Amino acid sequence: MTGTIGIIGSGLVGKAVARLAVRAGYNVVISNSRGPETLAGLVAELGPLARAGSVDEAITAGDIVTLSIQLAVFEALPADSFVGKVVLDQTNYYPGIGNFRRADLDKGELTSSELVQRHLRGAKVVKGVHNLGWIHMEHNARPRGDAERTTLPVAGDDAAAKAVVSGFIEDVGYDVVDAGSLAESWRIEPNTPIYFWPYVPAIPDGLTDAEAKKLYQQAGKPISPETARQLIDGTQRPSPIGGTLEGMPPIHVALFLELASADTVKT
């Protein structure tokens, strides 16, 4: 039996994870802050391996529980419900979005995933599937042995939890490298060499908006585990800390705003 993925957040990221999971044969329980009844259409699209639930139901059911949400709402997570759970932390620190800013993150006193682990004190938090956009989560996934298969990093303090999360990531279409502890996860945060840009295709000048959007939804050049390791090991801590929309491809921001206006991205 492959297991169940409990997904907290039904926005663009949560949907991408759900699609990858069901394609790989996992059961999925997906949740959001608005209630299971708002997810009927998505569950119908995902098929018989998926169902909607409350946040608590997704946590209870999940062999892995994903945080497919904005970091700004981490304190709303019911910490006691996560005790003993393997948690896949997909959050990122973007201090210019949602008026969420913390001095301890800005000063590098801890990483965003350490902050999440501090709140979910009884959980086993693993950072991963956070360093590429929702579009490329789906479009870059490849089966084992495929020459175009690329590599994602994970970081965490619990070796067994990292192994569980790595197995899931490998099942849904990616090779995996270990980037170290949660304290070292700054090496795979926004504005580092392995964050976002390696997974997107180059967009040449002279294309129409429609042509550029179509090309952007293709996979980027694959990264081998060896190359991923080199990128991680050679990283210097960014300053300032945290991502910005200006640091993203303009076409990505445009697609995000376009989809967000048509479909809520609330958690």
Side-chain angles (χ1 to χ4, degrees):
M1 182 176 179
T2 304
T4 299
I5 307 301
I7 300 175
I8 300 178
S10 63
L12 299 171
V13 172
K15 289 173 183 175
V17 174
R19 292 180 183 120
L20 286 173
V22 297
R23 287 173 193 168
Y26 284 83
N27 295 302
V28 164
V29 179
I30 189 165
S31 66
N32 62 21
S33 63
R34 292 163 288 145
E37 65 279 359
T38 67
L39 297 169
L42 175 61
V43 168
E45 172 203 325
L46 292 171
L49 291 179
R51 67 179 177 88
S54 66
V55 169
D56 278 329
E57 286 172 333
I59 297 167
T60 299
D63 297 299
I64 299 171
V65 182
T66 76
L67 304 184
S68 307
I69 56 176
Q70 294 181 13
L71 178 62
V73 300
F74 82 96
E75 289 181 308
L77 296 170
D80 290 344
S81 299
F82 282 89
V83 173
K85 287 292 181 177
V86 175
V87 175
L88 174 55
D89 177 21
Q90 296 186 271
T91 67
N92 288 298
Y93 183 45
Y94 274 76
I97 298 177
N99 296 318
F100 177 72
R101 183 153 216 152
R102 289 182 60 110
D104 49 5
L105 296 182
D106 290 338
K107 294 176 182 177
E109 295 173 356
L110 75 170
T111 64
S112 61
S113 287
E114 285 182 295
L115 182 66
V116 171
Q117 178 68 85
R118 181 183 294 179
H119 178 63
L120 304 181
R121 52 196 174 275
K124 302 166 186 177
V125 173
V126 179
K127 185 80 165 183
V129 199
H130 66 290
N131 63 316
L132 73 173
W134 80 94
I135 293 171
H136 298 103
M137 283 181 205
E138 296 189 65
H139 286 273
N140 287 23
R142 296 289 186 274
R144 288 179 174 86
D146 192 299
E148 296 297 307
R149 186 167 161 110
T150 194
T151 305
L152 298 180
V154 297
D157 295 337
D158 186 287
K162 276 198 283 192
V164 169
V165 169
S166 295
F168 169 66
I169 296 172
E170 289 167 351
D171 285 345
V172 302
Y174 294 91
D175 292 331
V176 180
V177 294
D178 189 338
S181 66
L182 294 181
E184 296 173 295
S185 65
W186 60 265
R187 294 180 179 275
I188 58 177
E189 288 183 339
N191 295 329
T192 61
I194 203 167
Y195 187 83
F196 203 90
W197 285 92
Y199 303 97
V200 303
I203 306 297
D205 295 333
L207 298 182
T208 66
D209 286 347
E211 290 170 336
K213 288 178 181 178
K214 183 176 180 180
L215 178 57
Y216 185 72
Q217 295 181 61
Q218 298 178 14
K221 185 178 179 180
I223 306 168
S224 69
E226 295 76 20
T227 298
R229 169 59 56 202
Q230 292 170 3
L231 292 174
I232 293 165
D233 290 347
T235 297
Q236 296 184 358
R237 196 156 199 174
S239 180
I241 291 171
T244 65
L245 289 181
E246 292 77 15
M248 306 288 277
I251 191 170
H252 181 85
V253 177
L255 280 167
F256 172 80
L257 294 174
E258 178 182 310
L259 289 171
S261 67
D263 182 24
T264 181
V265 291
K266 293 179 181 178
T267 59

